[in-house]
Amino acid sequence: MFALRRTALPAFSLARTYATSGNVSTLLLVEHKDNKVAASTLNALTAASKLGGSITALVAGNAPDTVVSEVAKLSGVSKILVAKSDAFTHALPESHATLLVETQKKHGFTHLVASHSAFGKNVMPRAAAILDVAQVSDITGVESADTFVRPIYAGNAIATVKSNDGIKVITVRNTAFPAAGQQDSAASQEDAPSISADKNLAEFVSEHMQKSDRPELDSATRVIAGGRGMKNGENFGMLYELADKIGAAVGASRAAVDAGYVDNSLQIGQTGKIVAPELYIAVGISGAIQHLAGMKDSKTIVAINKDPEAPIFQVADYGLVGDLFTAVPELTKKL
Amino acid sequence: MSSNLRILVACKRVVDYAVKIRVNAAGTAVETANVKHSMNPFDEIGTEQAIQIKEKSGGKVEVIAVSCGSDKSQETLRTALAMGADRAIFVESAEELQPLAVAKLLKAVVEKEKPDMVILGKQAIDDDSNQTGQMLAGLLNWPQATFASKVELAEKAMTVTREVDGGVETIKTPLPAILTTDLRLNVPRYASLPNIMKAKKKPLTKLTIADLAVDVKPRLETLKVTEPPKRQGGKLVESVDDLVDKLKNEAKVL
């Protein structure tokens, strides 16, 4: 569906003009939960700053004050639009997309940006369709204000894509951009346009979040992941011990999740989380295409597997062929 | 359910998930000629979900499979029919279709067929966009329940458990609504040989882009496609001691 065919390019496009601060104005949709800005929004902000031009942040919530003051201090944010309403208590896409569209109509941004998180993925395409523009999903690079790099086919090919729409709607792969820092002067604030409530849409019922003291999987600098080779959920205890010793997050392959060893939210891969830590330790994971899609941009990859033919060894910087049930405790002891 | 329900299921023909893809020599696209294709795995889950709803209702649900694309997309629709869909709609397009174009075509089909629910996969494994369901919901101004891992239908409403970052969330939407499937929703059935034979006789309606009067002009232009950087993998260590030493002194990550 993506135009993978090369379309004929007019000659002048070869000398592409790059974005100048005069014509780019970006709206960043801020994701937050429990009064804290989501880490992935900081990465999306860095991507937004690569577009050149001004960055306005949109913060929506029923009581967003704490989040607004946090966002005001983020490097590169010049203005914050605040939408305070009970309609935004939960991250429902219907209200958030309507807000984005109304904000766009009033302010006329050139770019709408959010992180490619469950929230961003849910909201942004809905808004893009209402605005009748395409979306460029999960970008890993900004070439210019209209040209972006993104992985396709589970990361087995990298496409460079130019958007010909007047408004560029973009979601950002958080691991591809560093987190934005702080700035000295706080951004100014303004009210976002109000939206009328549509009663005929979705309502929030409940949520169940996995509680953990370990770092968040998608922003951790070290990740240890277990696969089918772990044999059961109890054996993941070994990985937790090792993880706690080196301050790592714990993840899993699809096989481990499907077998019920750990919760779905720990899945790493094409359809789960994408991670790119300094150190990734794959334990009892064979290395299917779909799993590699989620971790092969890690800086250093270690594989522990008893099968020397496992594809994971083809991407691992260090491979240990052996029984994980002896190797992992030994590793924990020696660190 | 007392009343009849109509479910539209969107299915995309994609390069099979197990295929190790290759970028073409010109660096303009992924090689798709002579490569095994099959139904997008998330769409199989969507088809399965529709059929399970039908089975629970005692057959009072009509399941319509729809696919947009090249002539060969009809094979994908036959698969959906063999799994248990009642009939199929094929929207023929020689051109590549981007998510916004597909969402508009599906909107036109929805307006013709008036389903109570449209089920799509959460993403196609070729373009990995994760957009079409949300776009369709936006165009129709219907509620959307994306990344669903559990669905319960009641009279004129559904309760959906969604996979979100860090856990799950449950929402309730009135019907009509859009549902997009996550991996955990179900395990799709295999089509049996007799059902594959029967599927050949089930109705398949062909439509063209012109029939639906939709502008499908691509908005995104792919300038180039490249191979991802190769990793220098493949170094084996002898022991845990060796591994610890390498991580501390060579990679300096511990």
PDB file of all heavy atoms in Angstrom, chain A residues 1 3-4 6 9 122 132 137 160 162 203 206 258 264 267 298 318-319, chain B residues 28 97 104 129 131 144 146 163 170 172 184 219 221-223 231 237 250:
ATOM      1  N   MET A   1       0.837  -1.187   0.000  1.00  0.00           N
ATOM      2  CA  MET A   1       0.000   0.000   0.000  1.00  0.00           C
ATOM      3  C   MET A   1       0.874   1.241   0.000  1.00  0.00           C
ATOM      4  O   MET A   1       0.528   2.266  -0.534  1.00  0.00           O
ATOM      5  CB  MET A   1      -0.843   0.029   1.262  1.00  0.00           C
ATOM      6  CG  MET A   1      -1.868  -1.047   1.229  1.00  0.00           C
ATOM      7  SD  MET A   1      -3.051  -0.796   2.508  1.00  0.00           S
ATOM      8  CE  MET A   1      -3.926  -2.302   2.338  1.00  0.00           C
ATOM      9  N   ALA A   3       3.702   3.397  -1.320  1.00  0.00           N
ATOM     10  CA  ALA A   3       4.183   3.440  -2.700  1.00  0.00           C
ATOM     11  C   ALA A   3       5.644   3.032  -2.730  1.00  0.00           C
ATOM     12  O   ALA A   3       6.540   3.829  -2.518  1.00  0.00           O
ATOM     13  CB  ALA A   3       4.017   4.824  -3.276  1.00  0.00           C
ATOM     14  N   LEU A   4       5.873   1.771  -2.903  1.00  0.00           N
ATOM     15  CA  LEU A   4       7.249   1.304  -2.938  1.00  0.00           C
ATOM     16  C   LEU A   4       7.827   1.463  -4.332  1.00  0.00           C
ATOM     17  O   LEU A   4       9.018   1.369  -4.540  1.00  0.00           O
ATOM     18  CB  LEU A   4       7.321  -0.147  -2.487  1.00  0.00           C
ATOM     19  CG  LEU A   4       7.017  -0.320  -1.009  1.00  0.00           C
ATOM     20  CD1 LEU A   4       6.998  -1.776  -0.635  1.00  0.00           C
ATOM     21  CD2 LEU A   4       8.021   0.419  -0.150  1.00  0.00           C
ATOM     22  N   ARG A   6       9.022   3.450  -7.496  1.00  0.00           N
ATOM     23  CA  ARG A   6       9.589   4.784  -7.626  1.00  0.00           C
ATOM     24  C   ARG A   6       8.689   5.577  -8.553  1.00  0.00           C
ATOM     25  O   ARG A   6       8.401   5.166  -9.659  1.00  0.00           O
ATOM     26  CB  ARG A   6      10.991   4.664  -8.217  1.00  0.00           C
ATOM     27  CG  ARG A   6      11.736   5.966  -8.174  1.00  0.00           C
ATOM     28  CD  ARG A   6      13.067   5.766  -8.869  1.00  0.00           C
ATOM     29  NE  ARG A   6      13.844   6.994  -8.782  1.00  0.00           N
ATOM     30  CZ  ARG A   6      14.612   7.280  -7.771  1.00  0.00           C
ATOM     31  NH1 ARG A   6      14.722   6.459  -6.765  1.00  0.00           N
ATOM     32  NH2 ARG A   6      15.307   8.408  -7.763  1.00  0.00           N
ATOM     33  N   LEU A   9      10.386  11.564 -10.610  1.00  0.00           N
ATOM     34  CA  LEU A   9      10.641  12.785  -9.860  1.00  0.00           C
ATOM     35  C   LEU A   9      10.944  13.914 -10.819  1.00  0.00           C
ATOM     36  O   LEU A   9      11.753  13.760 -11.721  1.00  0.00           O
ATOM     37  CB  LEU A   9      11.866  12.604  -8.954  1.00  0.00           C
ATOM     38  CG  LEU A   9      11.732  11.587  -7.846  1.00  0.00           C
ATOM     39  CD1 LEU A   9      13.059  11.457  -7.117  1.00  0.00           C
ATOM     40  CD2 LEU A   9      10.667  12.020  -6.872  1.00  0.00           C
ATOM     41  N   ASN A 122      -2.541   5.547  18.098  1.00  0.00           N
ATOM     42  CA  ASN A 122      -3.990   5.506  18.183  1.00  0.00           C
ATOM     43  C   ASN A 122      -4.615   6.821  17.700  1.00  0.00           C
ATOM     44  O   ASN A 122      -5.609   6.824  16.986  1.00  0.00           O
ATOM     45  CB  ASN A 122      -4.378   5.237  19.646  1.00  0.00           C
ATOM     46  CG  ASN A 122      -5.774   4.686  19.809  1.00  0.00           C
ATOM     47  OD1 ASN A 122      -6.374   4.176  18.858  1.00  0.00           O
ATOM     48  ND2 ASN A 122      -6.289   4.771  21.018  1.00  0.00           N
ATOM     49  N   ASP A 132      -7.458  15.063   6.024  1.00  0.00           N
ATOM     50  CA  ASP A 132      -7.231  14.577   4.658  1.00  0.00           C
ATOM     51  C   ASP A 132      -5.751  14.643   4.251  1.00  0.00           C
ATOM     52  O   ASP A 132      -5.409  15.090   3.163  1.00  0.00           O
ATOM     53  CB  ASP A 132      -8.105  15.345   3.650  1.00  0.00           C
ATOM     54  CG  ASP A 132      -8.100  14.677   2.268  1.00  0.00           C
ATOM     55  OD1 ASP A 132      -7.857  13.448   2.215  1.00  0.00           O
ATOM     56  OD2 ASP A 132      -8.308  15.376   1.267  1.00  0.00           O
ATOM     57  N   SER A 137       4.624   7.107   9.453  1.00  0.00           N
ATOM     58  CA  SER A 137       4.691   6.438  10.755  1.00  0.00           C
ATOM     59  C   SER A 137       6.109   6.046  11.134  1.00  0.00           C
ATOM     60  O   SER A 137       6.896   5.610  10.290  1.00  0.00           O
ATOM     61  CB  SER A 137       3.865   5.138  10.707  1.00  0.00           C
ATOM     62  OG  SER A 137       2.496   5.401  10.627  1.00  0.00           O
ATOM     63  N   THR A 160      13.084   5.844   2.328  1.00  0.00           N
ATOM     64  CA  THR A 160      13.127   7.302   2.441  1.00  0.00           C
ATOM     65  C   THR A 160      11.890   7.830   1.737  1.00  0.00           C
ATOM     66  O   THR A 160      11.665   7.544   0.559  1.00  0.00           O
ATOM     67  CB  THR A 160      14.405   7.861   1.791  1.00  0.00           C
ATOM     68  OG1 THR A 160      15.524   7.222   2.403  1.00  0.00           O
ATOM     69  CG2 THR A 160      14.507   9.360   2.002  1.00  0.00           C
ATOM     70  N   LYS A 162       8.970  10.934   0.932  1.00  0.00           N
ATOM     71  CA  LYS A 162       8.693  12.364   0.861  1.00  0.00           C
ATOM     72  C   LYS A 162       7.181  12.567   0.928  1.00  0.00           C
ATOM     73  O   LYS A 162       6.431  11.913   0.207  1.00  0.00           O
ATOM     74  CB  LYS A 162       9.236  12.911  -0.455  1.00  0.00           C
ATOM     75  CG  LYS A 162       9.012  14.388  -0.680  1.00  0.00           C
ATOM     76  CD  LYS A 162       9.803  14.834  -1.903  1.00  0.00           C
ATOM     77  CE  LYS A 162       9.598  16.298  -2.195  1.00  0.00           C
ATOM     78  NZ  LYS A 162       8.310  16.563  -2.865  1.00  0.00           N
ATOM     79  N   GLU A 203     -15.877   5.096  25.615  1.00  0.00           N
ATOM     80  CA  GLU A 203     -15.673   5.509  27.003  1.00  0.00           C
ATOM     81  C   GLU A 203     -14.691   4.572  27.694  1.00  0.00           C
ATOM     82  O   GLU A 203     -14.636   3.378  27.392  1.00  0.00           O
ATOM     83  CB  GLU A 203     -16.997   5.575  27.763  1.00  0.00           C
ATOM     84  CG  GLU A 203     -17.708   4.248  27.866  1.00  0.00           C
ATOM     85  CD  GLU A 203     -19.023   4.348  28.624  1.00  0.00           C
ATOM     86  OE1 GLU A 203     -18.991   4.350  29.865  1.00  0.00           O
ATOM     87  OE2 GLU A 203     -20.079   4.418  27.960  1.00  0.00           O
ATOM     88  N   SER A 206     -11.622   0.708  32.398  1.00  0.00           N
ATOM     89  CA  SER A 206     -10.629   0.409  33.435  1.00  0.00           C
ATOM     90  C   SER A 206      -9.278   0.182  32.788  1.00  0.00           C
ATOM     91  O   SER A 206      -9.163   0.087  31.566  1.00  0.00           O
ATOM     92  CB  SER A 206     -11.032  -0.854  34.201  1.00  0.00           C
ATOM     93  OG  SER A 206     -11.028  -1.962  33.310  1.00  0.00           O
ATOM     94  N   ASP A 258       3.375 -15.634  24.480  1.00  0.00           N
ATOM     95  CA  ASP A 258       2.280 -16.525  24.085  1.00  0.00           C
ATOM     96  C   ASP A 258       2.154 -17.719  25.021  1.00  0.00           C
ATOM     97  O   ASP A 258       1.060 -18.216  25.273  1.00  0.00           O
ATOM     98  CB  ASP A 258       2.498 -17.037  22.649  1.00  0.00           C
ATOM     99  CG  ASP A 258       2.100 -15.991  21.616  1.00  0.00           C
ATOM    100  OD1 ASP A 258       1.523 -14.958  22.024  1.00  0.00           O
ATOM    101  OD2 ASP A 258       2.357 -16.207  20.417  1.00  0.00           O
ATOM    102  N   ASN A 264       2.099  -9.571  28.250  1.00  0.00           N
ATOM    103  CA  ASN A 264       2.204  -9.092  26.861  1.00  0.00           C
ATOM    104  C   ASN A 264       3.002  -7.810  26.721  1.00  0.00           C
ATOM    105  O   ASN A 264       3.658  -7.587  25.707  1.00  0.00           O
ATOM    106  CB  ASN A 264       0.810  -8.761  26.305  1.00  0.00           C
ATOM    107  CG  ASN A 264      -0.093  -9.958  26.272  1.00  0.00           C
ATOM    108  OD1 ASN A 264       0.357 -11.080  26.478  1.00  0.00           O
ATOM    109  ND2 ASN A 264      -1.365  -9.730  26.021  1.00  0.00           N
ATOM    110  N   GLN A 267       6.628  -7.747  25.538  1.00  0.00           N
ATOM    111  CA  GLN A 267       7.067  -8.299  24.248  1.00  0.00           C
ATOM    112  C   GLN A 267       7.896  -7.307  23.442  1.00  0.00           C
ATOM    113  O   GLN A 267       7.514  -6.158  23.235  1.00  0.00           O
ATOM    114  CB  GLN A 267       5.859  -8.736  23.412  1.00  0.00           C
ATOM    115  CG  GLN A 267       6.293  -9.419  22.116  1.00  0.00           C
ATOM    116  CD  GLN A 267       5.113  -9.901  21.297  1.00  0.00           C
ATOM    117  OE1 GLN A 267       4.092 -10.292  21.861  1.00  0.00           O
ATOM    118  NE2 GLN A 267       5.249  -9.882  19.994  1.00  0.00           N
ATOM    119  N   SER A 298      20.209  -2.329  18.921  1.00  0.00           N
ATOM    120  CA  SER A 298      20.908  -2.252  20.212  1.00  0.00           C
ATOM    121  C   SER A 298      22.398  -2.115  19.945  1.00  0.00           C
ATOM    122  O   SER A 298      22.913  -2.628  18.953  1.00  0.00           O
ATOM    123  CB  SER A 298      20.651  -3.519  21.033  1.00  0.00           C
ATOM    124  OG  SER A 298      19.261  -3.735  21.185  1.00  0.00           O
ATOM    125  N   TYR A 318      28.407 -10.849  20.963  1.00  0.00           N
ATOM    126  CA  TYR A 318      29.008 -11.910  21.765  1.00  0.00           C
ATOM    127  C   TYR A 318      27.994 -13.020  21.952  1.00  0.00           C
ATOM    128  O   TYR A 318      26.891 -12.778  22.456  1.00  0.00           O
ATOM    129  CB  TYR A 318      29.454 -11.374  23.128  1.00  0.00           C
ATOM    130  CG  TYR A 318      30.416 -10.215  23.010  1.00  0.00           C
ATOM    131  CD1 TYR A 318      29.985  -8.921  23.297  1.00  0.00           C
ATOM    132  CD2 TYR A 318      31.732 -10.408  22.580  1.00  0.00           C
ATOM    133  CE1 TYR A 318      30.853  -7.845  23.166  1.00  0.00           C
ATOM    134  CE2 TYR A 318      32.602  -9.336  22.445  1.00  0.00           C
ATOM    135  CZ  TYR A 318      32.158  -8.065  22.732  1.00  0.00           C
ATOM    136  OH  TYR A 318      33.014  -7.011  22.587  1.00  0.00           O
ATOM    137  N   GLY A 319      28.363 -14.203  21.535  1.00  0.00           N
ATOM    138  CA  GLY A 319      27.450 -15.328  21.671  1.00  0.00           C
ATOM    139  C   GLY A 319      28.056 -16.381  22.590  1.00  0.00           C
ATOM    140  O   GLY A 319      29.244 -16.676  22.510  1.00  0.00           O
TER     141      GLY A 319
ATOM    142  N   THR B  28      14.732   0.822  -5.185  1.00  0.00           N
ATOM    143  CA  THR B  28      13.494   1.599  -5.225  1.00  0.00           C
ATOM    144  C   THR B  28      12.348   0.917  -4.487  1.00  0.00           C
ATOM    145  O   THR B  28      11.333   1.544  -4.204  1.00  0.00           O
ATOM    146  CB  THR B  28      13.033   1.810  -6.681  1.00  0.00           C
ATOM    147  OG1 THR B  28      12.965   0.523  -7.305  1.00  0.00           O
ATOM    148  CG2 THR B  28      14.033   2.676  -7.440  1.00  0.00           C
ATOM    149  N   LEU B  97      -1.756   1.263  -3.234  1.00  0.00           N
ATOM    150  CA  LEU B  97      -2.668   2.056  -2.420  1.00  0.00           C
ATOM    151  C   LEU B  97      -2.049   2.339  -1.059  1.00  0.00           C
ATOM    152  O   LEU B  97      -1.586   1.427  -0.384  1.00  0.00           O
ATOM    153  CB  LEU B  97      -3.995   1.318  -2.234  1.00  0.00           C
ATOM    154  CG  LEU B  97      -4.806   1.038  -3.504  1.00  0.00           C
ATOM    155  CD1 LEU B  97      -5.936   0.070  -3.189  1.00  0.00           C
ATOM    156  CD2 LEU B  97      -5.354   2.331  -4.079  1.00  0.00           C
ATOM    157  N   LYS B 104     -10.277   5.478   2.607  1.00  0.00           N
ATOM    158  CA  LYS B 104     -11.365   6.114   1.846  1.00  0.00           C
ATOM    159  C   LYS B 104     -12.169   5.090   1.046  1.00  0.00           C
ATOM    160  O   LYS B 104     -13.395   5.197   0.948  1.00  0.00           O
ATOM    161  CB  LYS B 104     -10.781   7.174   0.910  1.00  0.00           C
ATOM    162  CG  LYS B 104     -10.297   8.408   1.651  1.00  0.00           C
ATOM    163  CD  LYS B 104      -9.744   9.427   0.681  1.00  0.00           C
ATOM    164  CE  LYS B 104      -9.347  10.697   1.421  1.00  0.00           C
ATOM    165  NZ  LYS B 104      -8.835  11.719   0.509  1.00  0.00           N
ATOM    166  N   SER B 129       2.626   0.488   8.855  1.00  0.00           N
ATOM    167  CA  SER B 129       2.137   1.846   9.098  1.00  0.00           C
ATOM    168  C   SER B 129       1.287   1.983  10.353  1.00  0.00           C
ATOM    169  O   SER B 129       1.409   2.928  11.103  1.00  0.00           O
ATOM    170  CB  SER B 129       1.327   2.347   7.907  1.00  0.00           C
ATOM    171  OG  SER B 129       2.171   2.607   6.823  1.00  0.00           O
ATOM    172  N   GLN B 131      -2.117   2.492  10.517  1.00  0.00           N
ATOM    173  CA  GLN B 131      -2.915   3.704  10.305  1.00  0.00           C
ATOM    174  C   GLN B 131      -4.343   3.445   9.835  1.00  0.00           C
ATOM    175  O   GLN B 131      -5.254   4.197  10.192  1.00  0.00           O
ATOM    176  CB  GLN B 131      -2.263   4.587   9.214  1.00  0.00           C
ATOM    177  CG  GLN B 131      -0.875   5.071   9.519  1.00  0.00           C
ATOM    178  CD  GLN B 131      -0.245   5.788   8.334  1.00  0.00           C
ATOM    179  OE1 GLN B 131      -0.851   5.915   7.280  1.00  0.00           O
ATOM    180  NE2 GLN B 131       0.978   6.239   8.507  1.00  0.00           N
ATOM    181  N   GLN B 144     -13.272   4.068  17.850  1.00  0.00           N
ATOM    182  CA  GLN B 144     -12.272   3.078  17.453  1.00  0.00           C
ATOM    183  C   GLN B 144     -11.751   2.351  18.679  1.00  0.00           C
ATOM    184  O   GLN B 144     -11.531   2.946  19.725  1.00  0.00           O
ATOM    185  CB  GLN B 144     -11.129   3.750  16.705  1.00  0.00           C
ATOM    186  CG  GLN B 144     -10.241   4.653  17.566  1.00  0.00           C
ATOM    187  CD  GLN B 144      -9.271   5.483  16.735  1.00  0.00           C
ATOM    188  OE1 GLN B 144      -9.660   6.167  15.777  1.00  0.00           O
ATOM    189  NE2 GLN B 144      -7.992   5.434  17.091  1.00  0.00           N
ATOM    190  N   THR B 146      -8.576   0.112  19.121  1.00  0.00           N
ATOM    191  CA  THR B 146      -7.393  -0.408  18.441  1.00  0.00           C
ATOM    192  C   THR B 146      -6.629  -1.374  19.340  1.00  0.00           C
ATOM    193  O   THR B 146      -6.789  -1.367  20.558  1.00  0.00           O
ATOM    194  CB  THR B 146      -6.461   0.745  18.047  1.00  0.00           C
ATOM    195  OG1 THR B 146      -6.202   1.539  19.207  1.00  0.00           O
ATOM    196  CG2 THR B 146      -7.082   1.627  16.966  1.00  0.00           C
ATOM    197  N   GLU B 163      -4.331  -3.566  24.176  1.00  0.00           N
ATOM    198  CA  GLU B 163      -2.930  -3.639  24.597  1.00  0.00           C
ATOM    199  C   GLU B 163      -2.342  -2.235  24.499  1.00  0.00           C
ATOM    200  O   GLU B 163      -2.293  -1.650  23.411  1.00  0.00           O
ATOM    201  CB  GLU B 163      -2.161  -4.567  23.665  1.00  0.00           C
ATOM    202  CG  GLU B 163      -2.778  -5.945  23.541  1.00  0.00           C
ATOM    203  CD  GLU B 163      -2.012  -6.992  24.309  1.00  0.00           C
ATOM    204  OE1 GLU B 163      -0.779  -6.890  24.416  1.00  0.00           O
ATOM    205  OE2 GLU B 163      -2.669  -7.922  24.819  1.00  0.00           O
ATOM    206  N   THR B 170      -9.324  -1.193  29.249  1.00  0.00           N
ATOM    207  CA  THR B 170     -10.626  -1.643  28.750  1.00  0.00           C
ATOM    208  C   THR B 170     -11.483  -0.428  28.420  1.00  0.00           C
ATOM    209  O   THR B 170     -11.562   0.504  29.216  1.00  0.00           O
ATOM    210  CB  THR B 170     -11.329  -2.531  29.785  1.00  0.00           C
ATOM    211  OG1 THR B 170     -10.459  -3.621  30.099  1.00  0.00           O
ATOM    212  CG2 THR B 170     -12.635  -3.088  29.243  1.00  0.00           C
ATOM    213  N   LYS B 172     -15.300   0.887  26.313  1.00  0.00           N
ATOM    214  CA  LYS B 172     -16.606   0.456  25.824  1.00  0.00           C
ATOM    215  C   LYS B 172     -17.015   1.405  24.708  1.00  0.00           C
ATOM    216  O   LYS B 172     -16.869   2.629  24.864  1.00  0.00           O
ATOM    217  CB  LYS B 172     -17.605   0.514  26.975  1.00  0.00           C
ATOM    218  CG  LYS B 172     -18.906  -0.179  26.672  1.00  0.00           C
ATOM    219  CD  LYS B 172     -19.812  -0.149  27.897  1.00  0.00           C
ATOM    220  CE  LYS B 172     -21.173  -0.675  27.499  1.00  0.00           C
ATOM    221  NZ  LYS B 172     -22.196  -0.412  28.485  1.00  0.00           N
ATOM    222  N   ARG B 184      -2.862 -11.038  20.375  1.00  0.00           N
ATOM    223  CA  ARG B 184      -3.400 -11.870  21.454  1.00  0.00           C
ATOM    224  C   ARG B 184      -4.900 -12.096  21.343  1.00  0.00           C
ATOM    225  O   ARG B 184      -5.483 -12.753  22.183  1.00  0.00           O
ATOM    226  CB  ARG B 184      -3.086 -11.198  22.796  1.00  0.00           C
ATOM    227  CG  ARG B 184      -2.253 -12.012  23.729  1.00  0.00           C
ATOM    228  CD  ARG B 184      -0.893 -12.359  23.208  1.00  0.00           C
ATOM    229  NE  ARG B 184      -0.078 -11.172  23.049  1.00  0.00           N
ATOM    230  CZ  ARG B 184       1.179 -11.204  22.636  1.00  0.00           C
ATOM    231  NH1 ARG B 184       1.757 -12.333  22.323  1.00  0.00           N
ATOM    232  NH2 ARG B 184       1.855 -10.099  22.497  1.00  0.00           N
ATOM    233  N   ARG B 219      -0.026  10.108  -1.587  1.00  0.00           N
ATOM    234  CA  ARG B 219       0.406  11.362  -0.961  1.00  0.00           C
ATOM    235  C   ARG B 219       1.883  11.297  -0.591  1.00  0.00           C
ATOM    236  O   ARG B 219       2.517  12.295  -0.360  1.00  0.00           O
ATOM    237  CB  ARG B 219      -0.402  11.636   0.306  1.00  0.00           C
ATOM    238  CG  ARG B 219      -1.910  11.595   0.111  1.00  0.00           C
ATOM    239  CD  ARG B 219      -2.380  12.705  -0.812  1.00  0.00           C
ATOM    240  NE  ARG B 219      -3.835  12.763  -0.864  1.00  0.00           N
ATOM    241  CZ  ARG B 219      -4.575  13.408   0.039  1.00  0.00           C
ATOM    242  NH1 ARG B 219      -4.012  14.030   1.053  1.00  0.00           N
ATOM    243  NH2 ARG B 219      -5.884  13.414  -0.067  1.00  0.00           N
ATOM    244  N   GLU B 221       5.707   9.767  -1.429  1.00  0.00           N
ATOM    245  CA  GLU B 221       6.533   9.327  -2.541  1.00  0.00           C
ATOM    246  C   GLU B 221       7.731   8.596  -1.938  1.00  0.00           C
ATOM    247  O   GLU B 221       8.413   9.148  -1.076  1.00  0.00           O
ATOM    248  CB  GLU B 221       7.038  10.593  -3.206  1.00  0.00           C
ATOM    249  CG  GLU B 221       7.158  10.601  -4.699  1.00  0.00           C
ATOM    250  CD  GLU B 221       7.575  12.004  -5.130  1.00  0.00           C
ATOM    251  OE1 GLU B 221       6.698  12.889  -5.245  1.00  0.00           O
ATOM    252  OE2 GLU B 221       8.789  12.213  -5.285  1.00  0.00           O
ATOM    253  N   THR B 222       7.965   7.381  -2.358  1.00  0.00           N
ATOM    254  CA  THR B 222       9.141   6.681  -1.840  1.00  0.00           C
ATOM    255  C   THR B 222      10.338   7.027  -2.715  1.00  0.00           C
ATOM    256  O   THR B 222      10.356   6.717  -3.897  1.00  0.00           O
ATOM    257  CB  THR B 222       8.898   5.161  -1.819  1.00  0.00           C
ATOM    258  OG1 THR B 222       7.802   4.906  -0.947  1.00  0.00           O
ATOM    259  CG2 THR B 222      10.115   4.420  -1.307  1.00  0.00           C
ATOM    260  N   LEU B 223      11.301   7.726  -2.150  1.00  0.00           N
ATOM    261  CA  LEU B 223      12.460   8.171  -2.924  1.00  0.00           C
ATOM    262  C   LEU B 223      13.462   7.039  -3.090  1.00  0.00           C
ATOM    263  O   LEU B 223      14.065   6.886  -4.145  1.00  0.00           O
ATOM    264  CB  LEU B 223      13.128   9.366  -2.241  1.00  0.00           C
ATOM    265  CG  LEU B 223      12.237  10.586  -1.982  1.00  0.00           C
ATOM    266  CD1 LEU B 223      13.040  11.699  -1.337  1.00  0.00           C
ATOM    267  CD2 LEU B 223      11.591  11.082  -3.273  1.00  0.00           C
ATOM    268  N   ARG B 231      24.975  -5.906  10.733  1.00  0.00           N
ATOM    269  CA  ARG B 231      25.699  -5.972  12.000  1.00  0.00           C
ATOM    270  C   ARG B 231      26.918  -6.862  11.853  1.00  0.00           C
ATOM    271  O   ARG B 231      26.906  -7.835  11.106  1.00  0.00           O
ATOM    272  CB  ARG B 231      24.801  -6.543  13.092  1.00  0.00           C
ATOM    273  CG  ARG B 231      23.753  -5.583  13.583  1.00  0.00           C
ATOM    274  CD  ARG B 231      23.131  -6.115  14.860  1.00  0.00           C
ATOM    275  NE  ARG B 231      24.047  -5.984  15.977  1.00  0.00           N
ATOM    276  CZ  ARG B 231      24.015  -4.986  16.854  1.00  0.00           C
ATOM    277  NH1 ARG B 231      23.129  -4.047  16.737  1.00  0.00           N
ATOM    278  NH2 ARG B 231      24.870  -4.947  17.859  1.00  0.00           N
ATOM    279  N   VAL B 237      31.958 -16.567  22.403  1.00  0.00           N
ATOM    280  CA  VAL B 237      32.860 -16.601  23.557  1.00  0.00           C
ATOM    281  C   VAL B 237      32.850 -18.017  24.133  1.00  0.00           C
ATOM    282  O   VAL B 237      31.902 -18.781  23.928  1.00  0.00           O
ATOM    283  CB  VAL B 237      32.446 -15.575  24.636  1.00  0.00           C
ATOM    284  CG1 VAL B 237      32.587 -14.161  24.101  1.00  0.00           C
ATOM    285  CG2 VAL B 237      31.027 -15.817  25.115  1.00  0.00           C
ATOM    286  N   GLU B 250      36.130  -4.942  26.471  1.00  0.00           N
ATOM    287  CA  GLU B 250      36.108  -4.702  25.034  1.00  0.00           C
ATOM    288  C   GLU B 250      34.926  -3.806  24.659  1.00  0.00           C
ATOM    289  O   GLU B 250      35.090  -2.727  24.079  1.00  0.00           O
ATOM    290  CB  GLU B 250      36.028  -6.038  24.298  1.00  0.00           C
ATOM    291  CG  GLU B 250      36.417  -5.962  22.838  1.00  0.00           C
ATOM    292  CD  GLU B 250      36.425  -7.347  22.199  1.00  0.00           C
ATOM    293  OE1 GLU B 250      37.449  -8.049  22.283  1.00  0.00           O
ATOM    294  OE2 GLU B 250      35.381  -7.725  21.631  1.00  0.00           O
TER     295      GLU B 250
END
